[in-house]
């Protein structure tokens, strides 16, 4: 890799990744798709470590979407077991590290065992002050926004808030990511250039980065490249922030 030097003062605080390409990674090697998912799950650990080393504070990864249930049953059960295998394999390391674990998405379709594991991981790491690693499981952004709208409507109906109290902050504060900093950078692996119902509200001013690398091959060097690209963007947030806009 060419020698990339990152600006330590411009490390993105919150990075999200759409983990894509596990199946194609496996196919390329004439392996069953599930082996791609296995490698992909383990890779979350390595990339999280790299993210923490680089000074990223929040890493939010898309593991399973509200639409992924339509895949064949055996693949769904494999992918849904993926975070469980991930936690089983890395529990000790994660609990012994400074990383804080969060899992966001619908909770009503997850198994009891799965939920117990999630609660255990969240509870055992809740006071950690290092990287916040969020796994999005049974997550869909439209579902998240719909849930927020229902919550807000309920408060209006119960006269807890007035309709004029509804503003952008209130909506932000009713999303799963309510305490999170603004999203700075979204990465999607595998060459697809779509958002696929991920963090639609949170993406408002994020920079987008697409790489052809399949998720199981995405590593620290790739993350450095993505951050380097981010650091060379001119973020104006709708304004005219500096001279490079000329
Ligand atoms: C990403 O890999 C993992 C999930 C979306 C669950 P894919 O399973 O989408 O891999 P491809 O796109 O078929 O290569
Ligand atoms: Mg895919």
């Amino acid at each position: 890799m060419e020698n990339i030097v990152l600006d330590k003062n411009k490390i993105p605080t919150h990075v999200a990744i759409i983990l894509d390409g596990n199946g194609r990674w496996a196919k390329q090697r004439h392996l069953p798709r599930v082996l791609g998912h296995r490698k992909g799950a383990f890779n979350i650990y390595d990339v999280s470590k790299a993210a923490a080393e680089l000074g990223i504070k929040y890493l939010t990864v898309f593991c399973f979407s509200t639409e992924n249930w339509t895949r064949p049953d055996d693949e769904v059960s494999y992918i849904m077991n993926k975070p469980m295998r991930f936690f089983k394999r890395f529990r000790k390391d994660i609990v012994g590290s400074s990383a804080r674990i969060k899992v966001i998405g619908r909770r009503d379709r997850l198994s009891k065992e799965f939920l117990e594991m999630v609660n255990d991981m969240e509870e055992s790491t809740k006071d950690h002050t290092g990287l916040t690693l969020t796994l999005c499981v049974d997550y869909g952004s439209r579902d998240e926004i719909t849930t927020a709208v229902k919550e807000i409507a309920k408060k209006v109906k119960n006269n807890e808030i007035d309709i004029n109290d509804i503003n952008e902050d209130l909506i932000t504060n009713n999303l799963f990511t309510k305490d999170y900093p603004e999203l700075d950078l979204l990465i999607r692996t595998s060459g697809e250039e779509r958002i696929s119902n991920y963090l639609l509200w949170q993406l408002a001013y994020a920079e987008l980065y697409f790489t052809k690398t399949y998720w199981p091959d995405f590593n620290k060097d790739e993350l450095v490249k993505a951050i380097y690209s981010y650091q060379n963007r001119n973020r104006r947030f709708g304004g005219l922030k500096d001279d490079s806009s000329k």
Side-chain angles (χ1 to χ4, degrees), residues 185-208:
L185 171 66
L186 172 78
I187 299 170
R188 183 171 189 147
T189 58
S190 90
E192 310 291 346
E193 300 189 355
R194 283 188 294 279
I195 302 300
S196 299
N197 198 15
Y198 194 43
L199 302 172
L200 299 176
W201 178 273
Q202 296 86 338
L203 276 168
Y205 286 104
E207 295 294 329
L208 309 181

Side-chain angles (χ1 to χ4, degrees), residues 19-24 33 37 63 68 71 75 79 82:
L19 318 176
D20 200 5
N22 290 346
R24 278 164 285 164
R33 286 178 61 84
H37 292 310
C63 297
N68 284 149
R71 292 190 178 194
E75 179 156 339
I79 308 177
K82 192 168 73 167

